[in-house]
Amino acid sequence: MNDFTRLLTAQVAADARTLPARALARLSAANPASRAGTISELRAVAARRVPRVVFDYVDGGAGDEITLRRNQTALRDIELRPRVLVDVSKVVTATTALSEPIALPLIAAPMGLAGLLNPAGEVAIARAMSEARSISILSVMASCPVEEVAAAAPGPLWFQMYLWRDRGLVRDMLARVRAAGVNVLVVTVDVPCAGNRDRDRKNGFTVPPRITARALADGIVHPRWSYDFVRNPRISWGNLPGDSAASAASLSTRTNQQFDPAATWPDLTWFRENWPGRLVIKGVLDPADARRAVELGAEAVVVSNHGGRQLDGARATISALPAVSEAVGDAAEVYLDGGIRRGADIAKAVALGARACLAGRALAYGLGAAGQPGVSRAVEILGSELRTVLALTGCPQVSDLSPAWVRQP
Ligand SMILES: Cc1cc2nc3c(=O)[nH]c(=O)nc-3n(C[C@H](O)[C@H](O)[C@H](O)COP(=O)(O)O)c2cc1C
């Protein structure tokens, strides 16, 4: 237990005089996400339930958050072109991703430090996805170690790595991932250095959290989160060696220490040669980059701008998707992430060439709102919206969507 946890424990114990622990436990166990009908409502619950510094870490983007917003507005601006008098009594959302059958084209995006939202962290996400019969991608920067997540959820688990400077560390990590039974490696290539996360800078966000008067005050006004947190703190990275987070530092400092700004295409070849399983490259927007990744052995690419958390001003992923999809053709699968908040967003992405979408924040809001049931609720919302959209569009089979079903502005 570190100083931060000790202080919070003491404070929660002091609060227990006015708010008995049993009541806190009851509050903690209740599922405040069950009444949320949209992802935006889940976001509002999460905003109330977790401290501001944690919410901003998840919700925020880089710089002026132009790209963060653009991902969503570009999706909304696409028109659907419905056909009528089609038999939609049976709607089918099932598809496959790298031969893995999934119940709907929605995969959990890798997210570092999900355990800050709820101590169940990535275990909760993987279990919820497994129950929904889909895939979860575990980040190397996750709060929960790969062995724990793989053991906790029976469903398919993919693992996401970064291009670190220390190849020995990467090699050890890949061996652990393989031993945990993971067959698909996702290499994220859009982080040569940390993006400028202004909210994190202003909030003084560090890993592990630094004890400040503000952090304590934040903990006190979010007693349910603090109660969960004190019982099972997940304040650092579960996959990295213990000394990687020995002292508090900002996320950008950590990123810039570990990530290799000199990494180029031959480094991707290194991954191909050192990873016997399937390989996915995440973080491309340019068709030529996508083609090159496939030529070097990637079996899928993720059109992504890291949810607007890296290069502010980058184009919206949905705008980049058609050209990438055309460039890659049948040589690899294409996925999209960034701004998925509605079932209609998934339908539009699939129509424009994505085999499936990755969702980051939509699931994170669910996790922050109510742990695993909250993640399940997020998936349920997106799935049910998608089914309604398919029926109303007159395209009951998700895999039948094509560019003919949409009109881009
Ligand atoms: C809190 C948070 C942490 C993230 N951590 C990672 C990570 O460790 N590795 C990675 O490849 N992407 C990471 N991402 C980006 C997501 O994988 C994904 O690209 C992005 O969230 C998609 O946008 P959306 O949140 O609008 O769905 C993170 C995103 C969030 C919100």
Side-chain angles (χ1 to χ4, degrees), residues 111-113 122 138-149 159-161 164 169 172-173 176-177 180 234 236-242 244:
M111 282 183 285
L113 295 173
E122 295 84 7
L138 181 69
S139 166
V140 66
M141 310 304 275
S143 311
C144 306
V146 59
E147 294 81 2
E148 183 185 344
V149 179
F159 190 83
Q160 177 264 321
M161 269 303 296
W164 283 342
L169 212 58
D172 292 349
M173 197 66 240
R176 274 178 61 192
V177 169
R234 298 270 198 183
S236 200
W237 296 290
N239 287 310
L240 308 193
S244 305

PDB file of all heavy atoms in Angstrom, residues 111-113 122 138-149 159-161 164 169 172-173 176-177 180 234 236-242 244:
ATOM      1  N   MET A 111      -6.943  -0.119 -23.846  1.00  0.00           N
ATOM      2  CA  MET A 111      -6.883   1.121 -23.069  1.00  0.00           C
ATOM      3  C   MET A 111      -5.960   0.923 -21.879  1.00  0.00           C
ATOM      4  O   MET A 111      -6.152   0.001 -21.092  1.00  0.00           O
ATOM      5  CB  MET A 111      -8.281   1.519 -22.582  1.00  0.00           C
ATOM      6  CG  MET A 111      -9.125   2.162 -23.676  1.00  0.00           C
ATOM      7  SD  MET A 111     -10.713   2.699 -23.073  1.00  0.00           S
ATOM      8  CE  MET A 111     -11.579   1.147 -22.928  1.00  0.00           C
ATOM      9  N   GLY A 112      -4.988   1.800 -21.773  1.00  0.00           N
ATOM     10  CA  GLY A 112      -4.078   1.743 -20.635  1.00  0.00           C
ATOM     11  C   GLY A 112      -4.783   2.178 -19.366  1.00  0.00           C
ATOM     12  O   GLY A 112      -5.660   3.046 -19.395  1.00  0.00           O
ATOM     13  N   LEU A 113      -4.435   1.551 -18.250  1.00  0.00           N
ATOM     14  CA  LEU A 113      -4.873   1.970 -16.915  1.00  0.00           C
ATOM     15  C   LEU A 113      -6.382   2.049 -16.733  1.00  0.00           C
ATOM     16  O   LEU A 113      -6.894   2.942 -16.049  1.00  0.00           O
ATOM     17  CB  LEU A 113      -4.247   3.334 -16.568  1.00  0.00           C
ATOM     18  CG  LEU A 113      -2.724   3.347 -16.441  1.00  0.00           C
ATOM     19  CD1 LEU A 113      -2.220   4.776 -16.276  1.00  0.00           C
ATOM     20  CD2 LEU A 113      -2.256   2.483 -15.287  1.00  0.00           C
ATOM     21  N   GLU A 122      -9.440  -4.108 -16.642  1.00  0.00           N
ATOM     22  CA  GLU A 122      -9.486  -4.829 -17.922  1.00  0.00           C
ATOM     23  C   GLU A 122     -10.096  -6.211 -17.784  1.00  0.00           C
ATOM     24  O   GLU A 122     -10.570  -6.781 -18.770  1.00  0.00           O
ATOM     25  CB  GLU A 122      -8.078  -4.923 -18.523  1.00  0.00           C
ATOM     26  CG  GLU A 122      -7.467  -3.582 -18.911  1.00  0.00           C
ATOM     27  CD  GLU A 122      -6.794  -2.879 -17.735  1.00  0.00           C
ATOM     28  OE1 GLU A 122      -6.683  -3.484 -16.654  1.00  0.00           O
ATOM     29  OE2 GLU A 122      -6.364  -1.708 -17.903  1.00  0.00           O
ATOM     30  N   LEU A 138      -6.215  -6.294 -25.041  1.00  0.00           N
ATOM     31  CA  LEU A 138      -5.602  -5.846 -23.790  1.00  0.00           C
ATOM     32  C   LEU A 138      -4.360  -5.021 -24.100  1.00  0.00           C
ATOM     33  O   LEU A 138      -3.487  -5.457 -24.847  1.00  0.00           O
ATOM     34  CB  LEU A 138      -5.216  -7.065 -22.941  1.00  0.00           C
ATOM     35  CG  LEU A 138      -4.594  -6.739 -21.590  1.00  0.00           C
ATOM     36  CD1 LEU A 138      -5.623  -6.131 -20.649  1.00  0.00           C
ATOM     37  CD2 LEU A 138      -3.982  -7.992 -20.959  1.00  0.00           C
ATOM     38  N   SER A 139      -4.293  -3.839 -23.510  1.00  0.00           N
ATOM     39  CA  SER A 139      -3.120  -2.986 -23.727  1.00  0.00           C
ATOM     40  C   SER A 139      -1.956  -3.445 -22.860  1.00  0.00           C
ATOM     41  O   SER A 139      -2.147  -3.878 -21.719  1.00  0.00           O
ATOM     42  CB  SER A 139      -3.477  -1.536 -23.355  1.00  0.00           C
ATOM     43  OG  SER A 139      -2.291  -0.765 -23.239  1.00  0.00           O
ATOM     44  N   VAL A 140      -0.763  -3.303 -23.396  1.00  0.00           N
ATOM     45  CA  VAL A 140       0.431  -3.591 -22.588  1.00  0.00           C
ATOM     46  C   VAL A 140       0.502  -2.619 -21.400  1.00  0.00           C
ATOM     47  O   VAL A 140       1.102  -2.929 -20.378  1.00  0.00           O
ATOM     48  CB  VAL A 140       1.709  -3.514 -23.463  1.00  0.00           C
ATOM     49  CG1 VAL A 140       1.953  -2.095 -23.955  1.00  0.00           C
ATOM     50  CG2 VAL A 140       2.931  -4.015 -22.716  1.00  0.00           C
ATOM     51  N   MET A 141      -0.149  -1.458 -21.534  1.00  0.00           N
ATOM     52  CA  MET A 141      -0.162  -0.463 -20.457  1.00  0.00           C
ATOM     53  C   MET A 141      -1.371  -0.652 -19.529  1.00  0.00           C
ATOM     54  O   MET A 141      -1.741   0.259 -18.781  1.00  0.00           O
ATOM     55  CB  MET A 141      -0.188   0.962 -21.025  1.00  0.00           C
ATOM     56  CG  MET A 141       0.855   1.257 -22.079  1.00  0.00           C
ATOM     57  SD  MET A 141       2.525   0.953 -21.527  1.00  0.00           S
ATOM     58  CE  MET A 141       2.905   2.488 -20.719  1.00  0.00           C
ATOM     59  N   ALA A 142      -2.001  -1.824 -19.589  1.00  0.00           N
ATOM     60  CA  ALA A 142      -3.191  -2.088 -18.769  1.00  0.00           C
ATOM     61  C   ALA A 142      -2.850  -2.117 -17.285  1.00  0.00           C
ATOM     62  O   ALA A 142      -1.694  -2.314 -16.905  1.00  0.00           O
ATOM     63  CB  ALA A 142      -3.792  -3.427 -19.182  1.00  0.00           C
ATOM     64  N   SER A 143      -3.892  -1.990 -16.474  1.00  0.00           N
ATOM     65  CA  SER A 143      -3.704  -2.110 -15.028  1.00  0.00           C
ATOM     66  C   SER A 143      -3.579  -3.576 -14.619  1.00  0.00           C
ATOM     67  O   SER A 143      -2.920  -3.897 -13.640  1.00  0.00           O
ATOM     68  CB  SER A 143      -4.908  -1.528 -14.282  1.00  0.00           C
ATOM     69  OG  SER A 143      -5.225  -0.261 -14.763  1.00  0.00           O
ATOM     70  N   CYS A 144      -4.268  -4.466 -15.341  1.00  0.00           N
ATOM     71  CA  CYS A 144      -4.273  -5.880 -14.961  1.00  0.00           C
ATOM     72  C   CYS A 144      -3.290  -6.656 -15.838  1.00  0.00           C
ATOM     73  O   CYS A 144      -3.267  -6.470 -17.053  1.00  0.00           O
ATOM     74  CB  CYS A 144      -5.663  -6.480 -15.158  1.00  0.00           C
ATOM     75  SG  CYS A 144      -6.970  -5.591 -14.323  1.00  0.00           S
ATOM     76  N   PRO A 145      -2.496  -7.551 -15.232  1.00  0.00           N
ATOM     77  CA  PRO A 145      -1.542  -8.336 -16.023  1.00  0.00           C
ATOM     78  C   PRO A 145      -2.242  -9.283 -16.993  1.00  0.00           C
ATOM     79  O   PRO A 145      -3.354  -9.750 -16.723  1.00  0.00           O
ATOM     80  CB  PRO A 145      -0.773  -9.140 -14.966  1.00  0.00           C
ATOM     81  CG  PRO A 145      -1.228  -8.675 -13.642  1.00  0.00           C
ATOM     82  CD  PRO A 145      -2.462  -7.853 -13.800  1.00  0.00           C
ATOM     83  N   VAL A 146      -1.566  -9.574 -18.092  1.00  0.00           N
ATOM     84  CA  VAL A 146      -2.156 -10.410 -19.144  1.00  0.00           C
ATOM     85  C   VAL A 146      -2.562 -11.780 -18.613  1.00  0.00           C
ATOM     86  O   VAL A 146      -3.604 -12.314 -18.993  1.00  0.00           O
ATOM     87  CB  VAL A 146      -1.198 -10.515 -20.370  1.00  0.00           C
ATOM     88  CG1 VAL A 146       0.147 -11.111 -20.022  1.00  0.00           C
ATOM     89  CG2 VAL A 146      -1.847 -11.283 -21.507  1.00  0.00           C
ATOM     90  N   GLU A 147      -1.769 -12.340 -17.700  1.00  0.00           N
ATOM     91  CA  GLU A 147      -2.076 -13.680 -17.180  1.00  0.00           C
ATOM     92  C   GLU A 147      -3.413 -13.649 -16.431  1.00  0.00           C
ATOM     93  O   GLU A 147      -4.233 -14.562 -16.560  1.00  0.00           O
ATOM     94  CB  GLU A 147      -0.976 -14.168 -16.223  1.00  0.00           C
ATOM     95  CG  GLU A 147       0.389 -14.417 -16.865  1.00  0.00           C
ATOM     96  CD  GLU A 147       1.234 -13.141 -17.066  1.00  0.00           C
ATOM     97  OE1 GLU A 147       0.766 -12.045 -16.675  1.00  0.00           O
ATOM     98  OE2 GLU A 147       2.342 -13.254 -17.623  1.00  0.00           O
ATOM     99  N   GLU A 148      -3.634 -12.572 -15.650  1.00  0.00           N
ATOM    100  CA  GLU A 148      -4.864 -12.462 -14.868  1.00  0.00           C
ATOM    101  C   GLU A 148      -6.084 -12.318 -15.795  1.00  0.00           C
ATOM    102  O   GLU A 148      -7.105 -12.971 -15.596  1.00  0.00           O
ATOM    103  CB  GLU A 148      -4.766 -11.241 -13.939  1.00  0.00           C
ATOM    104  CG  GLU A 148      -5.956 -11.088 -13.028  1.00  0.00           C
ATOM    105  CD  GLU A 148      -5.910  -9.803 -12.196  1.00  0.00           C
ATOM    106  OE1 GLU A 148      -4.837  -9.170 -12.087  1.00  0.00           O
ATOM    107  OE2 GLU A 148      -6.969  -9.428 -11.667  1.00  0.00           O
ATOM    108  N   VAL A 149      -5.945 -11.474 -16.806  1.00  0.00           N
ATOM    109  CA  VAL A 149      -7.077 -11.236 -17.706  1.00  0.00           C
ATOM    110  C   VAL A 149      -7.379 -12.504 -18.506  1.00  0.00           C
ATOM    111  O   VAL A 149      -8.541 -12.905 -18.636  1.00  0.00           O
ATOM    112  CB  VAL A 149      -6.793 -10.042 -18.649  1.00  0.00           C
ATOM    113  CG1 VAL A 149      -7.964  -9.811 -19.596  1.00  0.00           C
ATOM    114  CG2 VAL A 149      -6.508  -8.781 -17.841  1.00  0.00           C
ATOM    115  N   PHE A 159      -3.695  -8.957 -27.816  1.00  0.00           N
ATOM    116  CA  PHE A 159      -2.799  -8.162 -26.971  1.00  0.00           C
ATOM    117  C   PHE A 159      -2.166  -7.044 -27.791  1.00  0.00           C
ATOM    118  O   PHE A 159      -1.743  -7.262 -28.920  1.00  0.00           O
ATOM    119  CB  PHE A 159      -1.697  -9.051 -26.375  1.00  0.00           C
ATOM    120  CG  PHE A 159      -0.893  -8.353 -25.312  1.00  0.00           C
ATOM    121  CD1 PHE A 159      -1.358  -8.290 -23.999  1.00  0.00           C
ATOM    122  CD2 PHE A 159       0.318  -7.744 -25.612  1.00  0.00           C
ATOM    123  CE1 PHE A 159      -0.630  -7.632 -23.010  1.00  0.00           C
ATOM    124  CE2 PHE A 159       1.054  -7.087 -24.642  1.00  0.00           C
ATOM    125  CZ  PHE A 159       0.574  -7.033 -23.337  1.00  0.00           C
ATOM    126  N   GLN A 160      -2.105  -5.846 -27.200  1.00  0.00           N
ATOM    127  CA  GLN A 160      -1.561  -4.679 -27.917  1.00  0.00           C
ATOM    128  C   GLN A 160      -0.224  -4.248 -27.321  1.00  0.00           C
ATOM    129  O   GLN A 160      -0.092  -4.084 -26.120  1.00  0.00           O
ATOM    130  CB  GLN A 160      -2.579  -3.538 -27.855  1.00  0.00           C
ATOM    131  CG  GLN A 160      -2.100  -2.247 -28.495  1.00  0.00           C
ATOM    132  CD  GLN A 160      -1.512  -1.279 -27.473  1.00  0.00           C
ATOM    133  OE1 GLN A 160      -2.045  -1.171 -26.374  1.00  0.00           O
ATOM    134  NE2 GLN A 160      -0.430  -0.607 -27.813  1.00  0.00           N
ATOM    135  N   MET A 161       0.756  -4.081 -28.227  1.00  0.00           N
ATOM    136  CA  MET A 161       2.113  -3.666 -27.830  1.00  0.00           C
ATOM    137  C   MET A 161       2.457  -2.322 -28.461  1.00  0.00           C
ATOM    138  O   MET A 161       1.878  -1.940 -29.470  1.00  0.00           O
ATOM    139  CB  MET A 161       3.142  -4.654 -28.391  1.00  0.00           C
ATOM    140  CG  MET A 161       3.521  -5.823 -27.518  1.00  0.00           C
ATOM    141  SD  MET A 161       4.157  -5.412 -25.905  1.00  0.00           S
ATOM    142  CE  MET A 161       5.660  -4.550 -26.266  1.00  0.00           C
ATOM    143  N   TRP A 164       8.660  -0.160 -28.104  1.00  0.00           N
ATOM    144  CA  TRP A 164       9.506   0.316 -27.008  1.00  0.00           C
ATOM    145  C   TRP A 164      10.966   0.346 -27.423  1.00  0.00           C
ATOM    146  O   TRP A 164      11.381  -0.391 -28.320  1.00  0.00           O
ATOM    147  CB  TRP A 164       9.385  -0.622 -25.817  1.00  0.00           C
ATOM    148  CG  TRP A 164       8.137  -0.477 -25.021  1.00  0.00           C
ATOM    149  CD1 TRP A 164       7.269   0.575 -25.011  1.00  0.00           C
ATOM    150  CD2 TRP A 164       7.608  -1.438 -24.111  1.00  0.00           C
ATOM    151  NE1 TRP A 164       6.248   0.328 -24.135  1.00  0.00           N
ATOM    152  CE2 TRP A 164       6.428  -0.885 -23.569  1.00  0.00           C
ATOM    153  CE3 TRP A 164       8.023  -2.701 -23.679  1.00  0.00           C
ATOM    154  CZ2 TRP A 164       5.661  -1.565 -22.628  1.00  0.00           C
ATOM    155  CZ3 TRP A 164       7.258  -3.375 -22.744  1.00  0.00           C
ATOM    156  CH2 TRP A 164       6.090  -2.808 -22.224  1.00  0.00           C
ATOM    157  N   LEU A 169      12.868  -6.190 -23.253  1.00  0.00           N
ATOM    158  CA  LEU A 169      11.593  -6.095 -22.539  1.00  0.00           C
ATOM    159  C   LEU A 169      10.437  -6.529 -23.451  1.00  0.00           C
ATOM    160  O   LEU A 169       9.522  -7.234 -23.029  1.00  0.00           O
ATOM    161  CB  LEU A 169      11.401  -4.633 -22.096  1.00  0.00           C
ATOM    162  CG  LEU A 169      10.643  -4.372 -20.802  1.00  0.00           C
ATOM    163  CD1 LEU A 169      11.306  -5.070 -19.633  1.00  0.00           C
ATOM    164  CD2 LEU A 169      10.608  -2.854 -20.518  1.00  0.00           C
ATOM    165  N   ASP A 172      10.516 -10.336 -23.823  1.00  0.00           N
ATOM    166  CA  ASP A 172       9.966 -10.998 -22.621  1.00  0.00           C
ATOM    167  C   ASP A 172       8.444 -10.895 -22.606  1.00  0.00           C
ATOM    168  O   ASP A 172       7.740 -11.836 -22.262  1.00  0.00           O
ATOM    169  CB  ASP A 172      10.500 -10.333 -21.337  1.00  0.00           C
ATOM    170  CG  ASP A 172      11.992 -10.577 -21.170  1.00  0.00           C
ATOM    171  OD1 ASP A 172      12.540 -11.411 -21.920  1.00  0.00           O
ATOM    172  OD2 ASP A 172      12.600  -9.922 -20.295  1.00  0.00           O
ATOM    173  N   MET A 173       7.971  -9.698 -22.982  1.00  0.00           N
ATOM    174  CA  MET A 173       6.526  -9.457 -22.967  1.00  0.00           C
ATOM    175  C   MET A 173       5.837 -10.393 -23.962  1.00  0.00           C
ATOM    176  O   MET A 173       4.805 -10.998 -23.648  1.00  0.00           O
ATOM    177  CB  MET A 173       6.288  -7.989 -23.334  1.00  0.00           C
ATOM    178  CG  MET A 173       4.940  -7.442 -23.003  1.00  0.00           C
ATOM    179  SD  MET A 173       4.625  -7.364 -21.253  1.00  0.00           S
ATOM    180  CE  MET A 173       3.204  -8.429 -21.159  1.00  0.00           C
ATOM    181  N   ARG A 176       5.522 -13.834 -22.604  1.00  0.00           N
ATOM    182  CA  ARG A 176       4.456 -13.930 -21.596  1.00  0.00           C
ATOM    183  C   ARG A 176       3.079 -13.987 -22.266  1.00  0.00           C
ATOM    184  O   ARG A 176       2.209 -14.747 -21.863  1.00  0.00           O
ATOM    185  CB  ARG A 176       4.504 -12.700 -20.676  1.00  0.00           C
ATOM    186  CG  ARG A 176       5.447 -12.847 -19.510  1.00  0.00           C
ATOM    187  CD  ARG A 176       5.470 -11.564 -18.695  1.00  0.00           C
ATOM    188  NE  ARG A 176       4.176 -11.214 -18.127  1.00  0.00           N
ATOM    189  CZ  ARG A 176       3.909 -10.028 -17.578  1.00  0.00           C
ATOM    190  NH1 ARG A 176       4.837  -9.099 -17.527  1.00  0.00           N
ATOM    191  NH2 ARG A 176       2.723  -9.784 -17.074  1.00  0.00           N
ATOM    192  N   VAL A 177       2.923 -13.133 -23.264  1.00  0.00           N
ATOM    193  CA  VAL A 177       1.629 -13.034 -23.953  1.00  0.00           C
ATOM    194  C   VAL A 177       1.299 -14.368 -24.625  1.00  0.00           C
ATOM    195  O   VAL A 177       0.185 -14.885 -24.528  1.00  0.00           O
ATOM    196  CB  VAL A 177       1.692 -11.890 -24.990  1.00  0.00           C
ATOM    197  CG1 VAL A 177       0.490 -11.903 -25.907  1.00  0.00           C
ATOM    198  CG2 VAL A 177       1.794 -10.542 -24.278  1.00  0.00           C
ATOM    199  N   ALA A 180       0.354 -16.953 -22.211  1.00  0.00           N
ATOM    200  CA  ALA A 180      -1.004 -16.742 -21.678  1.00  0.00           C
ATOM    201  C   ALA A 180      -2.070 -17.203 -22.673  1.00  0.00           C
ATOM    202  O   ALA A 180      -3.262 -17.114 -22.387  1.00  0.00           O
ATOM    203  CB  ALA A 180      -1.197 -15.265 -21.327  1.00  0.00           C
ATOM    204  N   ARG A 234      -5.738  -0.174  -8.201  1.00  0.00           N
ATOM    205  CA  ARG A 234      -5.057  -0.515  -9.476  1.00  0.00           C
ATOM    206  C   ARG A 234      -4.496   0.796  -9.992  1.00  0.00           C
ATOM    207  O   ARG A 234      -5.079   1.406 -10.886  1.00  0.00           O
ATOM    208  CB  ARG A 234      -6.057  -1.051 -10.481  1.00  0.00           C
ATOM    209  CG  ARG A 234      -6.732  -2.306 -10.059  1.00  0.00           C
ATOM    210  CD  ARG A 234      -5.966  -3.524 -10.506  1.00  0.00           C
ATOM    211  NE  ARG A 234      -6.824  -4.691 -10.469  1.00  0.00           N
ATOM    212  CZ  ARG A 234      -6.399  -5.913 -10.749  1.00  0.00           C
ATOM    213  NH1 ARG A 234      -5.154  -6.127 -11.098  1.00  0.00           N
ATOM    214  NH2 ARG A 234      -7.223  -6.923 -10.691  1.00  0.00           N
ATOM    215  N   SER A 236      -1.401   1.446 -11.117  1.00  0.00           N
ATOM    216  CA  SER A 236      -0.234   1.460 -11.994  1.00  0.00           C
ATOM    217  C   SER A 236      -0.374   0.381 -13.064  1.00  0.00           C
ATOM    218  O   SER A 236      -1.417  -0.237 -13.206  1.00  0.00           O
ATOM    219  CB  SER A 236       1.034   1.265 -11.155  1.00  0.00           C
ATOM    220  OG  SER A 236       2.126   1.725 -11.903  1.00  0.00           O
ATOM    221  N   TRP A 237       0.717   0.132 -13.781  1.00  0.00           N
ATOM    222  CA  TRP A 237       0.672  -0.818 -14.898  1.00  0.00           C
ATOM    223  C   TRP A 237       0.891  -2.248 -14.415  1.00  0.00           C
ATOM    224  O   TRP A 237       1.886  -2.520 -13.737  1.00  0.00           O
ATOM    225  CB  TRP A 237       1.739  -0.441 -15.923  1.00  0.00           C
ATOM    226  CG  TRP A 237       1.479   0.888 -16.538  1.00  0.00           C
ATOM    227  CD1 TRP A 237       0.465   1.189 -17.403  1.00  0.00           C
ATOM    228  CD2 TRP A 237       2.211   2.098 -16.351  1.00  0.00           C
ATOM    229  NE1 TRP A 237       0.527   2.508 -17.758  1.00  0.00           N
ATOM    230  CE2 TRP A 237       1.580   3.085 -17.137  1.00  0.00           C
ATOM    231  CE3 TRP A 237       3.319   2.439 -15.604  1.00  0.00           C
ATOM    232  CZ2 TRP A 237       2.043   4.394 -17.198  1.00  0.00           C
ATOM    233  CZ3 TRP A 237       3.780   3.742 -15.654  1.00  0.00           C
ATOM    234  CH2 TRP A 237       3.143   4.713 -16.445  1.00  0.00           C
ATOM    235  N   GLY A 238      -0.002  -3.142 -14.841  1.00  0.00           N
ATOM    236  CA  GLY A 238       0.089  -4.521 -14.377  1.00  0.00           C
ATOM    237  C   GLY A 238       1.077  -5.368 -15.152  1.00  0.00           C
ATOM    238  O   GLY A 238       1.531  -6.394 -14.665  1.00  0.00           O
ATOM    239  N   ASN A 239       1.432  -4.944 -16.367  1.00  0.00           N
ATOM    240  CA  ASN A 239       2.303  -5.772 -17.201  1.00  0.00           C
ATOM    241  C   ASN A 239       3.778  -5.376 -17.132  1.00  0.00           C
ATOM    242  O   ASN A 239       4.633  -6.101 -17.605  1.00  0.00           O
ATOM    243  CB  ASN A 239       1.862  -5.689 -18.669  1.00  0.00           C
ATOM    244  CG  ASN A 239       0.585  -6.461 -18.908  1.00  0.00           C
ATOM    245  OD1 ASN A 239       0.477  -7.620 -18.526  1.00  0.00           O
ATOM    246  ND2 ASN A 239      -0.399  -5.805 -19.499  1.00  0.00           N
ATOM    247  N   LEU A 240       4.036  -4.190 -16.581  1.00  0.00           N
ATOM    248  CA  LEU A 240       5.414  -3.700 -16.603  1.00  0.00           C
ATOM    249  C   LEU A 240       6.152  -4.109 -15.334  1.00  0.00           C
ATOM    250  O   LEU A 240       5.531  -4.318 -14.294  1.00  0.00           O
ATOM    251  CB  LEU A 240       5.435  -2.175 -16.730  1.00  0.00           C
ATOM    252  CG  LEU A 240       4.614  -1.570 -17.880  1.00  0.00           C
ATOM    253  CD1 LEU A 240       4.978  -0.103 -18.070  1.00  0.00           C
ATOM    254  CD2 LEU A 240       4.872  -2.313 -19.170  1.00  0.00           C
ATOM    255  N   PRO A 241       7.480  -4.207 -15.413  1.00  0.00           N
ATOM    256  CA  PRO A 241       8.233  -4.543 -14.202  1.00  0.00           C
ATOM    257  C   PRO A 241       7.938  -3.533 -13.095  1.00  0.00           C
ATOM    258  O   PRO A 241       7.682  -2.351 -13.381  1.00  0.00           O
ATOM    259  CB  PRO A 241       9.696  -4.424 -14.652  1.00  0.00           C
ATOM    260  CG  PRO A 241       9.671  -4.333 -16.129  1.00  0.00           C
ATOM    261  CD  PRO A 241       8.308  -3.952 -16.565  1.00  0.00           C
ATOM    262  N   GLY A 242       7.979  -3.997 -11.839  1.00  0.00           N
ATOM    263  CA  GLY A 242       7.606  -3.177 -10.684  1.00  0.00           C
ATOM    264  C   GLY A 242       8.282  -1.827 -10.628  1.00  0.00           C
ATOM    265  O   GLY A 242       7.668  -0.833 -10.259  1.00  0.00           O
ATOM    266  N   SER A 244       9.068   0.092 -12.962  1.00  0.00           N
ATOM    267  CA  SER A 244       8.707   1.027 -14.035  1.00  0.00           C
ATOM    268  C   SER A 244       7.889   2.192 -13.524  1.00  0.00           C
ATOM    269  O   SER A 244       7.783   3.219 -14.161  1.00  0.00           O
ATOM    270  CB  SER A 244       7.881   0.328 -15.105  1.00  0.00           C
ATOM    271  OG  SER A 244       8.541  -0.762 -15.573  1.00  0.00           O
TER     272      SER A 244
END
